[in-house]
Amino acid sequence: MASGSATLADAQTAFQKFAVHGDPHATGREMNGKNFAKMCKDCHIIDGKHVTSTDVDIVFSKVKAKTARVITFEEFNQALLELAPKRFKGKSQEEAVQHMYGLVAGQDPANVGVTKASKVGGVDRLTDTSKYTGSHKERFDESGKGKGLSGREEMTDTSGYVSGYKGSGTYDDKVKNG
């Protein structure tokens, strides 16, 4: 059972990562239903045949307290116990739970492909810096990366002199020699 406790610790780490995903105020001790469903999807607990997103939502509602909107790690373990026989049919309860912990252990919330870059209409043409001409072309280096403030021609002069004054920087010489 020593290996079971190690996977339990790994599952708790994964639980904390998913619990704080998307919520900057989350502590990692409680997980909401949306993050539980994301965890089940990302960890491949939801397989579409035996376990669906509806099953996950039902189990979440079943294990949480009546008025609560979140589950603790203990309730999370109870939810995995409920989902294990459905996900791994034909295996014993203990074996199915171990497989569930194996699916969850070491997983991180997936962010890849969540929001795709827009490729509609003229967006490609407008964001392709190689096609820029004239003064706009000067704002980018050869690789197409923006130069920022240094790429702008009209930089404000904060030297304290009026624009066009030729004797800037000569004040100290005039005062000392005068």
Side-chain angles (χ1 to χ4, degrees):
M1 193 67 190
S3 67
S5 63
T7 56
L8 188 66
D10 292 340
Q12 186 163 7
T13 304
F15 171 84
Q16 290 169 345
K17 286 179 183 175
F18 277 94
V20 299
H21 180 72
D23 186 5
H25 304 295
T27 60
R29 291 190 292 269
E30 297 174 328
M31 181 185 288
N32 61 20
K34 177 177 68 87
N35 286 3
F36 181 67
K38 179 172 179 49
M39 180 180 209
C40 291
K41 184 174 176 240
D42 289 354
C43 296
H44 303 291
I45 293 172
I46 296 176
D47 61 355
K49 290 185 226 167
H50 306 300
V51 179
T52 62
S53 59
T54 306
D55 295 328
V56 169
D57 292 338
I58 290 170
V59 168
F60 181 83
S61 297
K62 191 174 179 182
V63 298
K64 73 176 180 62
K66 288 273 186 238
T67 58
R69 295 174 154 235
V70 293
I71 58 171
T72 62
F73 183 67
E74 290 75 25
E75 292 167 332
F76 169 75
N77 285 331
Q78 183 62 36
L80 289 184
L81 286 171
E82 298 262 343
L83 289 170
K86 290 186 92 167
R87 176 66 169 86
F88 297 103
K89 289 188 184 299
K91 296 194 184 296
S92 68
Q93 178 74 16
E94 295 81 23
E95 200 177 349
V97 169
Q98 287 303 315
H99 282 296
M100 289 294 269
Y101 285 136
L103 288 175
V104 171
Q107 294 290 333
D108 289 331
N111 287 329
V112 178
V114 175
T115 305
K116 297 188 175 21
S118 177
K119 297 283 186 190
V120 179
V123 176
D124 272 347
R125 185 173 44 83
L126 293 172
T127 56
D128 185 5
T129 58
S130 66
K131 292 186 171 66
Y132 284 9
T133 60
S135 62
H136 301 292
K137 190 176 195 174
E138 304 300 319
R139 295 177 30 215
F140 301 94
D141 60 11
E142 296 79 33
S143 67
K145 187 162 172 55
K147 292 182 184 175
L149 285 177
S150 63
R152 297 191 185 141
E153 195 171 305
E154 295 180 23
M155 299 288 291
T156 55
D157 183 18
T158 58
S159 66
Y161 290 97
V162 180
S163 64
Y165 180 65
K166 303 286 188 239
S168 64
T170 61
Y171 178 76
D172 288 337
D173 295 337
K174 289 181 183 180
V175 171
K176 289 178 185 173
N177 293 338

